[in-house]
Amino acid sequence: MASEELARKLERRLRREEAEEGSPLTAPLGAPAPEPPARPPTASADAELSAQLSRRLDINEGAARPRRCRVFNPYTEFPEFSRRLIKDLESMFKLYDAGQDGFIDLMELKLMMEKLGAPQTHLGLKSMIKEVDEDIDGKLSFREFLLIFHKAAAGELQEDSGLMALAKLSEIDVALEGVKGAKNFFEAKVQALSSGSKFEAELKAEQDERKREEEERRLRQAAFQELKANFST
């Protein structure tokens, strides 16, 4: 008897607490428990949905920045540059990538501009990086480094900007390296020529050069073996 009275008191107390909290009443003892209410979406889910909707809106309005593939191929992304020019620019990039992490950071860019004879202020260096920093990480990747020369060739840089000084003062002779055959790199525009056939011709030339080197090495080895055999007889 006392246990039944205690159970009723507990049930009334639970009902009162649930009513104060605004939650649904508990089913009487012995009755099946009601299903819990649906949990509201978390803040992270709301943020993710909001980001997706914002990007979709930007895409529809043409304002979204294209997402780049993880695999970067400079020959296909910058077809206006010859293979030799890209390799020379890569050598220059690696020369100033003191940390050898695949990036040129603010201090490395500062050293580069000083060696090129065009030192920049701290704000000037940050402005240079910002102009081509597509992933907004505060440093230059090789793709962003090539973008400097692409913008210079296309006339998209201010004449007195730090990036234009970098492009002009680099020791790479673009007239000889070739940007679609342009006589002057800074007068060159991205000309609509057949980049595919040019790429194939350069690739074939490299393959022929490697074959010649291998043939010369084979002949030298054969001559050495013949000389060795003459001495052993």
Side-chain angles (χ1 to χ4, degrees):
M1 195 70 182
S3 60
E4 292 179 2
E5 180 67 22
L6 180 60
R8 284 196 295 270
K9 287 182 179 181
L10 288 173
E11 184 178 346
R12 286 196 298 271
R13 181 175 179 181
L14 287 173
R15 286 172 176 270
R16 186 167 58 251
E17 290 177 353
E18 290 172 350
E20 291 174 356
E21 295 175 357
S23 59
L25 297 178
T26 306
L29 293 177
E35 294 184 2
R39 184 175 297 177
T42 61
S44 60
D46 288 343
E48 183 179 356
L49 179 60
S50 176
Q52 291 176 353
L53 291 175
S54 296
R55 176 164 177 80
R56 174 55 57 187
L57 182 61
D58 289 342
I59 291 174
N60 292 339
E61 295 178 353
R65 175 178 292 176
R67 291 175 176 171
R68 293 190 284 112
C69 300
R70 277 186 281 179
V71 179
F72 165 54
N73 187 334
Y75 304 110
T76 57
E77 291 203 37
F78 295 91
E80 69 272 23
F81 294 160
S82 69
R83 288 175 61 84
R84 183 178 174 184
L85 175 59
I86 288 177
K87 287 184 176 181
D88 286 345
L89 289 172
E90 184 178 16
S91 297
M92 180 182 178
F93 180 85
K94 289 180 177 179
L95 177 66
Y96 292 102
D97 178 17
Q100 298 182 353
D101 58 355
F103 297 93
I104 291 179
D105 60 23
L106 190 72
M107 293 306 297
E108 291 166 342
L109 181 61
K110 179 177 183 293
L111 177 63
M112 176 190 291
M113 297 307 294
E114 288 174 353
K115 284 189 173 293
L116 291 176
Q120 302 288 313
T121 65
H122 183 77
L123 290 177
L125 293 167
K126 291 180 71 174
S127 177
M128 289 173 64
I129 293 177
K130 184 178 180 181
E131 190 164 351
V132 291
D133 190 11
E134 294 186 322
D135 50 9
I136 319 178
D137 60 355
K139 50 191 177 182
L140 297 176
S141 65
F142 181 50
R143 183 186 190 282
E144 292 163 346
F145 185 71
L146 289 178
L147 194 59
I148 296 172
F149 295 85
H150 169 82
K151 284 177 172 288
E156 297 175 4
L157 296 179
Q158 295 293 330
E159 189 65 28
D160 58 348
S161 68
L163 291 183
M164 180 61 85
L166 189 159
K168 280 187 173 181
L169 294 172
S170 66
E171 297 178 355
I172 297 171
D173 190 344
V174 183
L176 293 178
E177 304 295 352
V179 181
K180 294 291 190 182
K183 293 181 179 179
N184 188 306
F185 180 66
F186 302 103
E187 295 174 357
K189 304 299 178 182
V190 180
Q191 304 170 16
L193 299 177
S194 177
S195 59
S197 59
K198 183 176 180 180
F199 177 85
E200 292 173 1
E202 291 175 343
L203 186 60
K204 186 176 185 304
E206 289 183 2
Q207 292 172 345
D208 292 342
E209 181 65 24
R210 282 197 297 269
K211 286 180 181 179
R212 283 194 295 270
E213 291 175 354
E214 291 173 1
E215 181 65 18
E216 290 175 0
R217 185 165 52 251
R218 187 186 65 79
L219 292 174
R220 286 195 301 269
Q221 290 175 349
F224 175 77
Q225 291 297 333
E226 183 179 356
L227 183 62
K228 184 178 178 182
N230 291 336
F231 274 103
S232 61
T233 55

